[in-house]
Amino acid sequence: MKRRKKSDYIWPPAIFVLALALRIWNVSAVGTAFYANTLSDASTYQVWAFKIVNGLAYGEPVFQMGPLYPYFLALSFIVGLKAYSVLILQSIFGALVAFMIYMIARRLYGRIAGIISGFAAALYAPFIFYDGLILSESLQIFLVSISLLLLTWKPKREKWWLAPVAGILIGLTALGRATILFFAAGLMIYWLVIYWGERRRKHPYRHLRMAALFAAGVLLGILPATIHNMAHGDFVLISSNTGINFYIGNNGNSNGTYEEPKGLDLFTDFSGRQIAEKRMGRALQSSDVSSFWTGEAFKDIKANPLRFAWGLAIKALLYLWHYDIAQAESIHIQSYFSPLFRMPLIGFGAVFIFGLAGLLFYRADDKRWILILLLVSNIFGVILFFVLGRFKLLGTLPLLISFGAGAALIWDIIRQRDTARLAWASVVALIGLAILFLPRPLDRNAKDALVFNNVGIYYYFKNDYDGAEKWYRMAAEISDNGSESMNNIGTVFYARDMIDSAAAYFQRALMADPASDKTLLNLGRISLMRGQPDSARYYYQRARAVAPFGTSADEALAELDRTLSADSTGRAGVAGASFQTLYDRAQRFAGMGRYDQAEDMYLAALRIKKDDIAALNNLGFAYQAQKKYPQAAEIFEWVLRLSPDNGVAYNNLAGTLYQIGKIDSAIVLWEKAIKLDPSNSQFARNLEFARKKANSQ
């Protein structure tokens, strides 16, 4: 046996420590009160996890999304971890992934390649970025890395348990991202092919046994989700969002990334159930909703199969782009929030070129086919739906493992001054650079503007309208279109009760994109507020025409057909008004300081949607403004029953109890608020003030 060098005991901990330090630095810079942790999937996971902890139902009985990460979060909360601690735990996962990449690369390619790959993984910017977010990718990469470590192990004696354990880990990963099942299928086919080629040799059934045990492990990993869904009366293997995701990525207007089709509001109707049931004219099971959207996608595919084939090719190009396509979060603006990302970290471009060189051209044993299968299956699984930067992280894993081999190979060619091989390497490198950096049929500025808008939305929901307007204007500056940014600026002025300014920005948004249903609906609301029902009808009809799937325009038009006779105070004639109209009126009255009238409108709105948390909170504030503290306390208690994981609700109730002299109760509530959201400095200041008040009495 070869004796290990002393340095072999230094490199693994060095890789782990560097990876952990960089990730904790990033987490400490941004914390959990961060725009990317309050939007899209990150917000959904947190709400779902708190519901699990408190024994409350979330969404539909059948899983709408992969349940792996929400249950991981819930378990973390149950054992006493908070969101910030979860990010530290994910940082440890990320450091362990870098260590495992070192181990796998060393096995397949040798000591030097392993060291280079390990440090590359520690410094890989997308891994650092996503390890610091409340998203499932960190856990997925960790589980798949363990599985690869088992699958590439070469024990002296055969260990039958390696395949099923690796399969269970892949099955669990599928509960977070079901497309990993393409890798599982490819790996089983790979073993079956080897079995067929070796069936006449001694012990021909070894690979057949591995395939069977691996498949059993995968099924065991996904079985809890399937049983849960069947227990709720529907056969759904993992989650019911497959159909809507397939439609998003393959409808006639798709650009290959995540963009909501016109009229779909997946924030309020996550799976597209409302539209599906409206079209079908009956109540649907979750599997039926998924099938409906799959069918809608296939209608577009059959109508233009060449467009579908071209769309797959475009998505493959988007996957291999050096630019990390964002959904709500973006690595490209992380330097605004984390000084670490102002440093020269390793990006996808370098990993693609060196990793592909190592994967294809470095001499290694047949187990490298496992890495190739993971890369190919990830590309296939992503382009079958839509491309996002975080979706291709699992495909980056085999490239990082082979990164060191590719770097060593290229260095060896340069060192030996092998002209022929150097020429071939140069040609391959140029092809790789062309693949990475040639223009794509996607407006990068529009994608960056989308993220700036998301940051603005984060500030908007914090009622920081100045911060929201700043980011919306930044989005407008870089966008070639700017419609959404102008529309969002209009909503800021609308919230400030500056109706004329809001209308002006909505008109600018409409000029930039005449087919924006959101802008048309906003202009319709403005027209109603100005007492111009004919103008409102015109805008609502245009909104319905450009977004035939949508239900908002239909609801607005139905409201117009009702008889409204609201007087100048707004106290009369609310019987036929919709929730949105009543809520908007209440917001305007509150903005003008007319809290008694706002109270009436909020109460009327809540008769339509009795459990709307935003309306309840604002009603509580209206009561507080009128010094109706007992009524305010009752409302905030109601909010807490609906959302027991809501730190803001504890803070609101605590503030109300403080006003009526129940300082001890307020202190208890503020302590609970801080436990739920330790990063909120306002909660801490309120608690400190209340304790000083209690001590002085």
Side-chain angles (χ1 to χ4, degrees):
M1 292 180 65
K2 293 182 180 180
R3 298 182 64 182
R4 284 182 174 267
K5 297 181 179 181
K6 290 183 178 180
S7 60
D8 288 349
Y9 298 98
I10 297 174
W11 294 121
I15 290 168
F16 177 85
V17 169
L18 176 63
L20 182 60
L22 293 177
R23 283 152 177 77
I24 290 179
W25 182 5
N26 179 58
V27 168
S28 63
V30 300
T32 55
F34 180 54
Y35 85 94
N37 288 327
T38 62
L39 303 172
S40 190
D41 290 352
S43 174
T44 299
Y45 289 144
Q46 291 176 82
V47 172
W48 190 351
F50 281 123
K51 296 286 187 182
I52 294 169
V53 171
N54 290 281
L56 303 172
Y58 176 80
E60 300 176 358
V62 171
F63 289 139
Q64 295 173 288
M65 296 174 65
L68 171 73
Y69 194 67
Y71 278 86
F72 163 74
L73 279 181
L75 179 61
S76 301
F77 297 152
I78 288 170
V79 300
L81 298 181
K82 301 303 177 187
Y84 192 85
S85 302
V86 171
L87 294 183
I88 298 298
L89 180 59
Q90 289 181 182
S91 297
I92 296 172
F93 287 168
L96 288 171
V97 166
F99 169 76
M100 286 187 281
I101 285 174
Y102 159 79
M103 293 292 295
I104 298 167
R106 182 186 174 104
R107 284 176 184 171
L108 296 181
Y109 301 111
R111 173 176 169 273
I112 298 299
I115 293 169
I116 297 172
S117 289
F119 278 108
L123 293 164
Y124 187 52
F127 275 12
I128 298 172
F129 177 65
Y130 288 105
D131 282 339
L133 297 179
I134 301 180
L135 291 170
S136 64
E137 275 64 31
S138 180
L139 182 57
Q140 291 174 32
I141 294 167
F142 179 64
L143 294 175
V144 174
S145 296
I146 299 174
S147 182
L148 292 177
L149 194 67
L150 297 175
L151 292 171
T152 57
W153 190 13
K154 305 171 187 175
K156 293 180 180 180
R157 297 178 61 184
E158 183 179 353
K159 298 185 183 298
W160 66 268
W161 53 268
L162 290 176
V165 173
I168 290 171
L169 293 170
I170 295 299
L172 290 175
T173 305
L175 300 185
R177 184 80 61 226
T179 52
I180 193 68
L181 294 178
F182 291 121
F183 169 62
L187 194 55
M188 286 184 282
I189 293 171
Y190 166 70
W191 280 324
L192 291 175
V193 168
I194 294 176
Y195 159 72
W196 182 258
E198 297 181 352
R199 66 190 186 280
R200 291 185 177 88
R201 298 181 183 179
K202 190 177 181 181
H203 305 301
Y205 296 104
R206 182 168 66 91
H207 290 96
L208 189 63
R209 184 169 61 250
M210 287 180 66
L213 290 172
F214 181 79
V218 172
L219 292 174
L220 189 60
I222 65 175
L223 195 59
T226 308
I227 292 174
H228 171 275
N229 295 333
M230 291 181 66
H232 288 88
D234 200 359
F235 179 75
V236 174
L237 191 65
I238 296 174
S239 60
S240 64
N241 64 345
T242 303
I244 191 67
N245 284 338
F246 187 69
Y247 179 78
I248 290 170
N250 296 284
N251 69 82
N253 296 311
S254 172
N255 65 2
T257 69
Y258 181 88
E259 286 193 3
E260 291 183 359
K262 296 276 187 191
L264 274 175
D265 184 358
L266 298 180
F267 180 77
T268 57
D269 184 17
F270 180 80
S271 62
R273 172 177 290 278
Q274 294 177 13
I275 294 171
E277 291 184 339
K278 179 182 176 183
R279 286 290 186 92
M280 299 300 291
R282 58 185 175 87
L284 299 175
Q285 289 188 309
S286 297
S287 58
D288 296 329
V289 174
S290 183
S291 297
F292 169 83
W293 287 110
T294 302
E296 291 296 313
F298 275 114
K299 286 180 184 177
D300 286 355
I301 292 170
K302 290 177 182 177
N304 195 341
L306 289 178
R307 193 213 68 85
F308 171 68
W310 178 245
L312 292 178
I314 293 299
K315 284 187 278 188
L317 283 174
L318 293 177
Y319 184 103
L320 299 175
W321 199 8
H322 74 95
Y323 176 71
D324 192 269
I325 298 172
Q327 183 178 6
E329 65 293 322
S330 174
I331 191 174
H332 303 292
I333 68 166
Q334 188 70 353
S335 58
Y336 283 96
F337 306 99
S338 174
L340 172 63
F341 282 79
R342 297 171 201 146
M343 299 175 64
L345 300 171
I346 294 176
F348 178 74
V351 169
F352 175 72
I353 291 175
F354 288 104
L356 200 62
L359 204 58
L360 299 180
F361 303 116
Y362 197 93
R363 292 180 181 177
D365 64 23
D366 288 341
K367 287 189 179 290
R368 71 172 176 173
W369 282 100
I370 295 173
L371 305 182
I372 294 173
L373 283 170
L374 178 56
L375 174 61
V376 172
S377 64
N378 183 250
I379 293 174
F380 176 75
V382 171
I383 68 174
L384 192 61
F385 292 89
F386 49 82
V387 182
L388 291 178
R390 61 190 177 99
F391 285 4
K392 67 182 189 181
L393 292 178
L394 287 175
T396 311
L397 193 55
L399 291 173
L400 274 167
I401 292 170
S402 302
F403 180 94
L409 177 65
I410 293 172
W411 171 247
D412 187 56
I413 292 172
I414 294 172
R415 183 175 58 84
Q416 293 181 7
R417 299 181 182 179
D418 188 332
T419 307
R421 293 175 71 200
L422 187 59
W424 276 109
S426 299
V427 170
V428 172
L430 287 172
I431 293 172
L433 289 171
I435 292 172
L436 288 164
F437 291 97
L438 282 179
R440 265 51 171 187
L442 183 70
D443 186 351
R444 175 174 170 173
N445 285 340
K447 282 296 178 184
D448 288 340
L450 173 66
V451 178
F452 284 172
N453 277 314
N454 286 336
V455 182
I457 291 169
Y458 163 72
Y459 284 105
Y460 182 87
F461 283 126
K462 290 178 65 178
N463 295 323
D464 182 354
Y465 298 136
D466 292 337
E469 184 180 349
K470 168 191 167 185
W471 282 91
Y472 290 153
R473 291 191 182 279
M474 289 170 63
E477 287 175 5
I478 65 171
S479 175
D480 296 332
N481 180 297
S483 174
E484 182 174 358
S485 307
M486 293 300 171
N487 181 73
N488 289 339
I489 294 171
T491 63
V492 170
F493 283 109
Y494 185 87
R496 291 168 171 162
D497 200 38
M498 300 169 67
I499 303 304
D500 291 338
S501 296
Y505 275 97
F506 291 148
Q507 288 290 354
R508 290 176 64 180
L510 191 63
M511 289 176 64
D513 182 7
S516 172
D517 58 316
K518 293 179 182 177
T519 302
L520 289 165
L521 289 168
N522 284 334
L523 282 167
R525 293 190 183 104
I526 292 287
S527 297
L528 272 182
M529 295 175 70
R530 289 172 167 173
Q532 301 168 346
D534 291 340
S535 178
R537 183 180 298 278
Y538 165 75
Y539 286 121
Y540 290 154
Q541 287 175 339
R542 282 183 61 183
R544 182 168 62 181
V546 299
F549 270 144
T551 59
S552 299
D554 288 337
E555 292 172 358
L557 285 165
E559 180 188 340
L560 268 181
D561 292 333
R562 301 189 188 105
T563 302
L564 297 176
S565 57
D567 62 13
S568 59
T569 66
R571 290 180 180 276
V574 299
S578 69
F579 170 84
Q580 188 63 50
T581 295
L582 295 168
Y583 184 80
D584 286 347
R585 289 181 186 174
Q587 291 287 80
R588 288 197 68 207
F589 286 136
M592 293 183 288
R594 295 159 65 176
Y595 295 109
D596 57 336
Q597 295 165 340
E599 174 190 333
D600 288 343
M601 292 297 104
Y602 285 132
L603 287 169
L606 287 165
R607 282 194 285 273
I608 299 173
K609 290 185 180 180
K610 67 175 183 177
D611 290 338
D612 187 88
I613 290 178
L616 286 166
N617 271 325
N618 287 324
L619 174 59
F621 295 142
Y623 281 139
Q624 281 188 337
Q626 299 174 80
K627 298 185 178 180
K628 297 180 178 180
Y629 297 120
Q631 293 94 322
E634 183 179 350
I635 292 298
F636 291 135
E637 287 174 354
W638 185 354
V639 172
L640 270 178
R641 287 195 293 272
L642 294 172
S643 183
D645 59 316
N646 192 330
V648 175
Y650 281 103
N651 175 71
N652 293 340
L653 180 56
T656 305
L657 295 180
Y658 180 88
Q659 291 291 339
I660 57 180
K662 297 183 178 181
I663 298 176
D664 291 339
S665 298
I667 288 173
V668 171
L669 291 170
W670 270 315
E671 288 174 343
K672 290 182 177 180
I674 291 171
K675 287 181 179 179
L676 287 170
D677 188 0
S679 62
N680 193 308
S681 58
Q682 185 60 51
F683 297 171
R685 286 195 293 271
N686 291 342
L687 177 60
E688 182 181 2
F689 186 81
R691 284 174 174 169
K692 288 181 179 178
K693 182 73 172 179
N695 292 334
S696 65
Q697 291 181 347

